[in-house]
Amino acid sequence: MIGDRVRTVDYHTGGEPFRIVAAPPVTIAGATVAERRVFAIGDAAVDGLRQVLCHEPRGHADMYGGFIVPPDDAGAQLGVLFWHKDGFSTACGHGTIALGAWAVRSGLVAAPDDGVTDVVIDVPSGRVTARVHTAAGRVTAVDFVSVPSFVVASSVVVPTSRGPAEVVVSYGGALYAQLPAAAVGLAVRPEDLTALIALGREIKAGLADHPASRHPTDDRLSGIYGVIFHEEADGARHQRNVTIFADGEVDRSPCGSGTAARVATLAEDGTLKAGETLLHESIVGSRFTARFTTAGESVLPVITGMAYPTGEHEFVIDPEDPMTPGFVLR
């Protein structure tokens, strides 16, 4: 069904894994990346490949990756279907940063020894850019230029086991509910991670049928993807966050599309103005910087980080292995 060997190149962005499958050994049908995502969700072979590469024993509950697919048209250099342990996501900023670094390092996209190269990528939520900075032939940073981002709803109250939680819902390629960690008696620190995961699941479930969980124009982008717990680290423009996404997954990075959603929120409430920079820190201390330009009624976030290769794999799928396609412990 999915072949007995699958090759991947693995990166991490701010500590968050990204497993790249440059040549998926399955058919992923569709005229656009958005259509291919819909196909992948319902196709046993494509979803089976996701499970094999994401689930144990080849992955883990917090694994993340992407299948490279053709772009929607000649205006982009590649397309990608993002995936995690529970399915296929609409956006992924840390993955876009990793793809930019990989595209240049692998020679897929030519880049000067010194300069900036745009790697244009079609993702299910639209067209994004990984702006790759090089110096002396080395990748030094990658800007993730997001899709237009905006606030969907403010002051949404969700009942939880810790009392009512008031959240803001914003879109940054996916829908994120955001709230201060201190408002529910927690902090963005590893010691509170178990409680943060549990509460993130509660809040996501509590918003499942709320109008704020619907994308205003494209229902394929609907659904609360993640819950962002945040706190100020050193003033309002230096914040720390942890994003609990999918079903209890933890983003080790500051979360790329989540940062885009935070930028939209901070722009809306006046905390962050055009030309100013947000320093966004993760629960493990990795950092992104973010800024925005205006895009009509939305903002266009630009998030800067860096990705590094961690390995290359040729995974073997033994047809007699009873554990295929794997399992998840969370």
Side-chain angles (χ1 to χ4, degrees):
M1 176 179 66
I2 58 177
D4 59 353
R5 293 180 185 271
V6 184
R7 293 182 177 178
T8 73
V9 179
D10 285 24
Y11 272 68
H12 84 87
T13 306
E16 179 71 0
F18 193 73
R19 178 162 286 166
I20 301 167
V21 187
V26 290
T27 299
I28 308 176
T32 65
V33 173
E35 289 180 7
R36 289 188 179 92
R37 175 176 178 261
V38 173
F39 177 86
I41 290 169
D43 185 78
V46 181
D47 196 52
L49 178 60
R50 173 192 65 81
Q51 292 178 58
V52 162
L53 295 175
C54 191
H55 293 179
E56 294 187 54
R58 298 169 187 84
H60 51 80
D62 295 288
M63 193 65 203
Y64 211 106
F67 298 143
I68 304 302
V69 296
D72 293 357
D73 57 50
Q77 286 127 321
L78 63 131
V80 61
L81 292 185
F82 299 119
W83 45 258
H84 48 74
K85 74 176 178 65
D86 299 304
F88 295 88
S89 52
T90 60
C92 177
H94 92 272
T96 301
I97 290 170
L99 286 169
W102 166 76
V104 168
R105 288 175 62 105
S106 67
L108 179 68
V109 175
D113 285 346
D114 299 279
V116 180
T117 302
D118 281 358
V119 179
V120 183
I121 305 169
D122 284 328
V123 306
S125 57
R127 180 161 286 175
V128 298
T129 299
R131 187 161 291 148
V132 183
H133 299 254
T134 50
R138 299 175 63 85
V139 176
T140 58
V142 181
D143 303 330
F144 161 49
V145 184
S146 179
V147 295
S149 304
F150 50 88
V151 174
V152 174
S154 300
S155 302
V156 178
V157 178
V158 186
T160 78
S161 59
R162 287 177 170 264
E166 185 174 307
V167 305
V168 176
V169 177
S170 297
Y171 176 77
L175 291 168
Y176 290 89
Q178 308 142 68
L179 71 160
V184 286
L186 298 171
V188 180
R189 58 183 183 178
E191 300 95 307
D192 285 357
L193 188 56
T194 298
L196 289 162
I197 292 170
L199 193 59
R201 282 171 151 168
E202 278 190 58
I203 292 171
K204 181 173 178 175
L207 290 169
D209 297 320
H210 195 281
S213 71
R214 314 315 301 175
H215 188 276
T217 61
D218 187 345
D219 203 48
R220 294 174 299 182
L221 303 175
S222 291
I224 300 297
Y225 177 57
V227 177
I228 301 174
F229 297 94
H230 57 83
E231 62 191 18
E232 291 189 7
D234 182 21
R237 295 197 297 274
H238 178 186
Q239 298 193 0
R240 185 180 298 111
N241 91 96
V242 63
T243 300
I244 311 301
F245 67 95
D247 182 22
E249 284 203 47
V250 180
D251 199 325
R252 274 77 171 153
S253 82
C255 188
S257 53
T259 298
R262 286 295 295 147
V263 165
T265 300
L266 296 173
E268 173 90 356
D269 68 19
T271 300
L272 189 69
K273 297 178 174 59
E276 295 180 333
T277 297
L278 170 70
L279 178 58
H280 215 206
E281 190 173 324
S282 77
I283 195 168
V284 300
S286 55
R287 292 177 169 185
F288 291 160
T289 57
R291 58 196 186 280
F292 72 88
T293 59
T294 56
E297 296 182 358
S298 305
V299 298
L300 191 66
V302 180
I303 297 143
T304 302
M306 183 57 185
Y308 301 91
T310 59
E312 298 182 13
H313 300 88
E314 184 176 67
F315 288 105
V316 175
I317 299 109
D318 188 329
E320 297 180 2
D321 182 356
M323 287 292 187
T324 302
F327 57 92
V328 175
L329 288 178
R330 160 90 336 135

